[in-house]
Amino acid sequence: MGHWIIAPVVVPAIMGALIVLLMRHDLLLQRIFSLATTLALMAIAAALLIAASHEGPEMYRLGNWPAPFGIVLMLDRLSAMMVALTAVLAIAVQLYAIGTGWDARGRHFHALFQFQLMGICGAFLTGDAFNLFVFFEVLLIASYGLMIHGGGKNRLRAGVQYIAFNLVGSSLFLFALATVYSVTGTLNMADLAVKVPLLPEGDAGLFRVAAVMLMLVFAIKGALVPLQFWLPGTYANAPGVVAALFAVMTKIGAYAMIRFGVMIIPPDSPAMGSLIADLLRPSAIATLIIGAIGVLGASTLSRMAAFAAIASMGTLFLAISAFTPAATAAGLYYLVHSTFAGAALFLITDLVISRRAHDRLDHALPPIAQSGLISSLFMLSAIATAGMPPLSGFIGKLLVMDALRAQAALIWPIILGTSLVMIIGMARAGSTVFWKAHASAPNEAPTHRPEGLAFVAVFGLLGALIVWTVMAGPITQWLEATAMALHDPSSYIAANALPPLLQEVK
């Protein structure tokens, strides 16, 4: 694909700068050019996905410096899939922001949005661990601005908490990278995959410390227990469109965990053994249970959606913790599903909040405009999020359970039990917001201004879930091939064109 590999990073970066410099006083121009850029990103992502599926991993040298001495971008099936997922989600979120006028409630929404896309796509495409840190910081800086978009005391307080947690994660990331570099002399991921198995015992011990620190960083990004405290308040207080976009941000932690845990420190690695899997599995179980209990006991609709996001990360990390091709494929299927389902739930929650002063669930309120339509959308998103049939959440959980059947006595009751708890919690919320509202004030007929693009966005996300369900067969076959390529990184390493001495292990 040549220079197209860097396009998902460069195109949003250029447009973000142009919006700030030339269009900051014209919202209409911002909307036109920002939406056009996101559509172009989706087209580029589709082309990269096709190329990665047929041609295998491909490297792009920044500054034309060869790996491992220069920083490289790497296109493979996983990174292409994540960039495509980001582009599709971004289109839906942007349509919703324009349709509801959310982009007009604060300054520089579209510029921050493009910089956010730049950071997310860069994190998925980079083949260098330090560059992963750089893109983390880019997307986090943009997300700080988006988080407090529109103002408000509660939003500002949640933003400060969000910043504090991520600054801790960033500092820990730097310490971990410095330790890894001191031991191995490289931060190129392919080079690390070659050098880590060769480490002498003394250096391997220090590398284990650095690897655990890296896993803690990725656990913070992925909201794993006990590092999940930042997520409920952040997502519940963020604007609905921003929370929907953040649905893919937690997946960056999962993506990094897969990339490092499968390629650099797999369970059969002499330097690590099964340490990461042994730490990750109980944490994922706790995350799933706490998320489900949070859904059941949430006091507001937005907090319920936030805890549902935590539960979905628990299921995803449970699949990742097995570090087998089958579990990785199941996790990737569930990753895409949970991103679309979580984003749809946040947007539907915002539709409810925009028609009321608040979204509390402790008492019934008068009915809202378009209650029948929104309640139907809420029911579909609740079924998908909880993992009930017939939507893709059910298929995803079945795949995860099948991949973990060796631990069925422990894992299956937890997955099934938390799914039941989540559907009860969402049924309670839906009945309070929609059914009890009509029962309490049957003659009230509120009105609300049309939001055509907003409903297009929600229908688009739910439509994506339906496609993910109907096409589950060929999709899982593609994901199984992707997982096999991840667990056998020889082609990824070869694409880096490392000097011969650096490839002697693989």
Side-chain angles (χ1 to χ4, degrees), residues 4-184:
W4 287 108
I5 295 175
I6 200 173
V9 180
V10 172
V11 171
I14 293 175
M15 183 50 61
L18 290 177
I19 289 173
V20 172
L21 294 174
L22 304 178
M23 309 176 205
R24 61 183 180 274
H25 300 304
D26 192 327
L27 181 60
L28 179 59
L29 277 181
Q30 291 182 39
R31 289 173 170 176
I32 293 172
F33 281 90
S34 183
L35 185 59
T37 301
T38 310
L39 288 169
L41 175 63
M42 186 166 64
I44 294 168
L48 293 176
L49 185 62
I50 294 171
S53 300
H54 292 92
E55 301 172 12
E58 186 177 349
M59 176 184 65
Y60 182 87
R61 298 175 178 177
L62 296 176
N64 205 30
W65 283 86
F69 312 108
I71 292 175
V72 299
L73 300 182
M74 285 297 301
L75 177 70
D76 66 350
R77 294 166 73 101
L78 177 59
S79 60
M81 184 192 82
M82 298 304 295
V83 171
L85 173 64
T86 302
V88 173
L89 178 64
I91 288 291
V93 170
Q94 203 163 24
L95 288 176
Y96 187 94
I98 294 171
T100 57
W102 255 114
D103 58 341
R105 301 186 192 184
R107 300 187 64 185
H108 307 306
F109 174 88
H110 289 284
L112 290 169
F113 188 86
Q114 294 300 323
F115 288 131
Q116 178 88 338
L117 294 182
M118 168 198 170
I120 294 173
C121 292
F124 290 140
L125 286 169
T126 185
D128 183 272
F130 183 78
N131 217 30
L132 179 63
F133 166 79
V134 172
F135 282 120
F136 268 2
E137 296 310 299
V138 171
L139 69 91
L140 287 173
I141 291 170
S143 69
Y144 298 155
L146 290 173
M147 170 64 204
I148 61 174
H149 180 78
K153 182 175 66 175
N154 292 335
R155 190 166 296 154
L156 184 60
R157 184 186 300 116
V160 171
Q161 181 190 42
Y162 174 67
I163 292 171
F165 264 90
N166 279 284
L167 284 177
V168 171
S170 297
S171 301
L172 192 60
F173 202 173
L174 273 181
F175 291 142
L177 292 178
T179 306
V180 169
Y181 189 79
S182 70
V183 172
T184 64

Side-chain angles (χ1 to χ4, degrees), residues 315 318-319 322 324-331 393-409 411-413 415-416 476 480:
T315 304
L318 198 54
T324 64
T328 301
F394 177 68
I395 298 174
K397 289 192 174 182
L398 279 183
L399 291 172
V400 172
M401 291 167 63
D402 182 59
L404 301 177
R405 59 182 177 273
Q407 308 164 47
I411 301 301
W412 287 20
I415 292 178
L416 295 174
T476 52
E480 286 168 359

Side-chain angles (χ1 to χ4, degrees), residues 75 111 148 174 215 296 332 345:
L75 177 70
I148 61 174
L174 273 181
M215 296 304 111
L296 182 63
L332 293 177
L345 187 59

Side-chain angles (χ1 to χ4, degrees), residues 460-495:
L461 291 173
L462 294 177
L465 290 175
I466 294 172
V467 171
W468 207 244
T469 305
V470 174
M471 300 296 292
I475 286 171
T476 52
Q477 291 178 3
W478 189 90
L479 291 174
E480 286 168 359
T482 302
M484 291 300 297
L486 286 169
H487 284 264
D488 179 15
S490 55
S491 59
Y492 187 97
I493 294 171

Side-chain angles (χ1 to χ4, degrees), residues 52-398:
S53 300
H54 292 92
E55 301 172 12
E58 186 177 349
M59 176 184 65
Y60 182 87
R61 298 175 178 177
L62 296 176
N64 205 30
W65 283 86
F69 312 108
I71 292 175
V72 299
L73 300 182
M74 285 297 301
L75 177 70
D76 66 350
R77 294 166 73 101
L78 177 59
S79 60
M81 184 192 82
M82 298 304 295
V83 171
L85 173 64
T86 302
V88 173
L89 178 64
I91 288 291
V93 170
Q94 203 163 24
L95 288 176
Y96 187 94
I98 294 171
T100 57
W102 255 114
D103 58 341
R105 301 186 192 184
R107 300 187 64 185
H108 307 306
F109 174 88
H110 289 284
L112 290 169
F113 188 86
Q114 294 300 323
F115 288 131
Q116 178 88 338
L117 294 182
M118 168 198 170
I120 294 173
C121 292
F124 290 140
L125 286 169
T126 185
D128 183 272
F130 183 78
N131 217 30
L132 179 63
F133 166 79
V134 172
F135 282 120
F136 268 2
E137 296 310 299
V138 171
L139 69 91
L140 287 173
I141 291 170
S143 69
Y144 298 155
L146 290 173
M147 170 64 204
I148 61 174
H149 180 78
K153 182 175 66 175
N154 292 335
R155 190 166 296 154
L156 184 60
R157 184 186 300 116
V160 171
Q161 181 190 42
Y162 174 67
I163 292 171
F165 264 90
N166 279 284
L167 284 177
V168 171
S170 297
S171 301
L172 192 60
F173 202 173
L174 273 181
F175 291 142
L177 292 178
T179 306
V180 169
Y181 189 79
S182 70
V183 172
T184 64
T186 184
L187 291 175
N188 179 277
M189 294 181 191
D191 198 16
L192 286 171
V194 172
K195 287 185 173 180
V196 168
L198 296 175
L199 291 176
E201 182 54 36
D203 289 342
L206 188 57
F207 179 82
R208 277 193 288 273
V209 174
V212 171
M213 286 195 290
L214 281 175
M215 296 304 111
L216 285 174
V217 173
F218 303 150
I220 292 174
K221 308 300 182 185
L224 263 179
V225 170
L227 303 169
Q228 86 293 353
F229 296 106
W230 64 270
L231 191 146
T234 300
Y235 281 36
N237 289 289
V241 290
V242 176
L245 182 62
F246 282 8
V248 79
M249 280 183 56
T250 49
K251 305 307 186 298
I252 297 175
Y255 166 85
M257 193 78 76
I258 293 172
R259 184 69 79 186
F260 278 77
V262 169
M263 185 173 73
I264 300 173
I265 47 174
D268 59 353
S269 169
M272 292 299 298
S274 62
L275 176 62
I276 298 302
D278 293 340
L279 293 174
L280 189 57
R281 189 176 301 111
S283 181
I285 292 172
T287 303
L288 178 54
I289 293 173
I290 288 176
I293 293 173
V295 169
L296 182 63
S299 59
T300 65
L301 202 58
S302 53
R303 286 188 68 83
M304 185 206 71
F307 276 105
I310 291 177
S312 71
M313 293 307 297
T315 304
L316 175 56
F317 276 110
L318 198 54
I320 294 172
S321 67
F323 292 112
T324 64
T328 301
L332 293 177
Y333 183 92
Y334 190 80
L335 182 153
V336 175
H337 152 79
S338 61
T339 301
F340 288 140
L345 187 59
F346 279 115
L347 294 185
I348 293 166
T349 298
D350 189 72
L351 287 174
V352 174
I353 295 174
S354 67
R355 289 156 169 78
R356 283 188 173 154
H358 56 78
D359 62 334
R360 293 196 61 82
L361 299 175
D362 51 5
H363 61 278
L365 293 172
I368 61 174
Q370 301 168 301
S371 176
L373 174 59
I374 296 176
S375 63
S376 300
L377 296 175
F378 177 82
M379 182 184 71
L380 288 174
S381 67
I383 290 172
T385 303
M388 296 290 105
L391 294 179
S392 52
F394 177 68
I395 298 174
K397 289 192 174 182
L398 279 183

